[in-house]
């Protein structure tokens, strides 16, 4: 049957977090290649054979992230928290609700910083560092790309 959009999203999320540089899956009527700009880590696996072909219009061939912009020298001591996926950036859980994080907030590993909506799925983005938020680089409800900088954090 091939891969549905949820499986593809899960695969993209896995690739972005795993450190794998490239994943290619090829079946009879389906091919997907996901590449990142990370240093390569080589992993080999075999995918199960599909039982039903996927329509030709639904054949993604590559997902390539945009290159991250260079960090300005005054920001060299800060950690950049980047988007793990493509979607729409939200600072709060909904209209009228408090924001997850603001400039000046002290954050810890695991704290929810924002939500990224992708295909009507709302994904909480948690901090993987501790420190103080010094800059929010994206406006609320703005579309974001994979690996796009979202926050600058001054580590403790």
């Amino acid at each position: 049957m091939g891969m549905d959009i949820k499986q593809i999203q899960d695969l993209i999320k896995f690739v972005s977090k795993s450190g794998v540089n490239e994943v290619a899956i090829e079946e009879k009527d389906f091919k997907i290649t996901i590449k990142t700009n990370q240093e390569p880590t080589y992993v080999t696996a075999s995918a199960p054979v599909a039982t039903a072909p996927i329509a030709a219009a639904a054949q993604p061939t590559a997902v390539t992230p945009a290159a991250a912009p260079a960090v300005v020298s005054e920001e060299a001591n800060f950690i950049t928290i980047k988007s793990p996926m493509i979607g729409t950036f939200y600072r709060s859980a909904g209209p009228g609700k408090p924001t997850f994080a603001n400039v000046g907030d002290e954050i810890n590993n695991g704290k929810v910083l924002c939500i990224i909506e992708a295909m009507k799925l709302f994904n909480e983005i948690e901090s993987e560092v501790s420190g103080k938020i010094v800059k929010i680089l994206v406006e609320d409800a703005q579309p974001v790309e994979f690996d796009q900088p979202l926050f600058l954090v001054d580590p403790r």
Side-chain angles (χ1 to χ4, degrees):
M1 179 176 158
M3 296 179 76
D4 64 25
I5 194 69
K6 175 71 173 130
Q7 290 172 314
I8 293 171
Q9 286 176 330
D10 289 343
L11 182 60
I12 291 170
K13 194 173 191 178
F14 169 76
V15 170
S16 70
K17 290 186 176 188
S18 70
V20 175
N21 191 40
E22 180 177 344
V23 171
I25 297 174
E26 189 169 344
E27 297 176 2
K28 183 179 177 186
D29 293 324
F30 177 82
K31 180 179 179 180
I32 183 169
T33 302
I34 301 172
K35 298 179 182 180
T36 66
N37 58 355
Q38 301 171 11
E39 291 299 315
T41 301
Y42 298 99
V43 176
T44 56
S46 55
V49 177
T51 58
I54 294 178
Q59 293 183 11
T61 55
V63 177
T64 306
V71 177
V72 179
S73 61
E74 70 180 32
E75 299 173 351
N77 295 329
F78 299 146
I79 296 172
T80 304
I81 297 176
K82 298 179 180 180
S83 176
M85 64 185 63
I86 296 171
T88 305
F89 173 88
Y90 293 105
R91 292 189 58 201
S92 65
K97 304 253 177 150
T99 57
F100 292 112
N102 295 300
V103 173
D105 286 359
E106 291 290 330
I107 59 170
N108 293 314
N109 191 8
K111 178 180 176 11
V112 175
L113 299 175
C114 64
I115 291 177
I116 295 183
E117 176 197 1
M119 309 264 323
K120 302 293 181 194
L121 296 174
F122 294 86
N123 303 282
E124 291 183 342
I125 308 304
E126 297 178 352
S127 175
E128 294 180 359
V129 298
S130 294
K132 180 178 174 182
I133 295 179
V134 294
K135 191 169 187 181
I136 300 173
L137 304 168
V138 181
E139 295 294 322
D140 194 40
Q142 178 181 337
V144 294
E145 296 292 325
F146 170 77
D147 216 26
Q148 178 177 341
L150 303 176
F151 299 91
L152 287 182
V153 177
D154 186 6
R156 291 186 204 165

